[in-house]
Amino acid sequence: NVTEIEILENGNQINGYNGGTATSEDGTIIFAKNFFYNKLTNILETSGNVKYLDKINNIVITADKAIYLKNNEKIFTIGNSKAVNNNKSIEAYNLEYDKFKNIFVAKKNAVVNDFEKNTTIYADEITYLKNKEKIFTKGKTKAFIQNKYKFNSEDVSYYRNLGNLISQKKSILEDDGGNIYKLK
């Protein structure tokens, strides 16, 4: 459903311009300014204020651009990417969402906010295994836990349900009283 439509390649390439929506059989809706759909590959590319709305899993993803692989139920975003679900958000330059596995991967300046647990994690790459409520990072990681602790390390695992933050690397923990603990 678009404002302007262009049909090419014997109906196998459908382009939409100036705003619209794409809706899948399961009720997932993608809003964007521009749409480029290839019927043969079942791939939809979108740009301009992209918003992906998954009502079944209660997930909203926004970005500058997105590529939706319908056959694999994966979405890849580029630029100003953000996913929001219940009391959590994930932000990064790039975001990948695998709907079948319920996994998010955020790359480039990634940030996870767990508003319920009052925890924020920063890293270059963050993976969130939603079904297991586990978050793990690659590279240097900074975390703020319950507004009481600052945690600096690398390659961190965060078990959301348990509230555990684990790293096998050297770590520094600072509490709200200014006490610093260096952990090996």
Side-chain angles (χ1 to χ4, degrees):
N1 183 10
V2 293
T3 305
E4 295 178 28
I5 192 166
E6 175 182 46
I7 301 173
L8 306 167
E9 300 175 24
N10 297 322
N12 292 320
Q13 179 67 42
I14 301 170
N15 300 337
Y17 305 100
N18 294 322
T21 60
T23 306
S24 71
E25 306 85 41
D26 68 359
T28 299
I29 302 171
I30 300 175
F31 303 87
K33 185 172 181 181
N34 301 303
F35 295 83
F36 306 95
Y37 177 63
N38 185 309
K39 282 175 80 173
L40 300 176
T41 61
N42 217 8
I43 296 174
L44 174 65
E45 295 185 36
T46 60
S47 65
N49 298 318
V50 177
K51 182 177 181 180
Y52 170 92
L53 179 59
D54 179 345
K55 293 179 183 179
I56 293 171
N57 294 309
N58 191 27
I59 296 168
V60 177
I61 299 173
T62 56
D64 294 336
K65 296 180 183 179
I67 299 169
Y68 178 50
L69 310 179
K70 176 62 180 143
N71 295 343
N72 300 325
E73 285 297 338
K74 291 183 180 178
I75 187 165
F76 299 87
T77 66
I78 303 162
N80 296 310
S81 303
K82 184 175 186 176
V84 178
N85 171 262
N86 299 328
N87 291 320
K88 295 171 284 307
S89 71
I90 303 171
E91 298 176 48
Y93 184 77
N94 295 330
L95 188 65
E96 301 170 17
Y97 172 51
D98 185 323
K99 189 172 179 176
F100 289 140
K101 294 179 181 176
N102 216 3
I103 295 173
F104 295 86
V105 179
K107 297 179 180 177
K108 288 190 180 178
N109 300 318
V111 179
V112 170
N113 285 298
D114 184 341
F115 301 109
E116 183 181 330
K117 303 282 185 177
N118 203 9
T119 298
T120 303
I121 301 171
Y122 300 86
D124 196 48
E125 184 174 325
I126 297 174
T127 301
Y128 174 38
L129 310 176
K130 186 167 179 349
N131 294 342
K132 294 181 179 182
E133 289 296 342
K134 177 183 177 185
I135 295 169
F136 59 91
T137 70
K138 288 185 182 177
K140 293 186 179 191
T141 303
K142 191 184 299 187
F144 297 97
I145 305 147
Q146 301 171 356
N147 287 334
K148 294 181 182 181
Y149 306 100
K150 295 178 189 174
F151 184 79
N152 287 294
S153 192
E154 292 181 51
D155 304 334
V156 172
S157 296
Y158 172 57
Y159 297 86
R160 188 175 176 276
N161 289 336
L162 300 172
N164 293 346
L165 198 65
I166 300 168
S167 177
Q168 299 297 319
K169 309 282 179 141
K170 290 181 181 180
S171 304
I172 297 173
L173 178 69
E174 182 179 347
D175 65 22
D176 58 354
N179 298 309
I180 298 174
Y181 306 91
K182 294 184 180 183
L183 311 166
K184 292 183 182 182

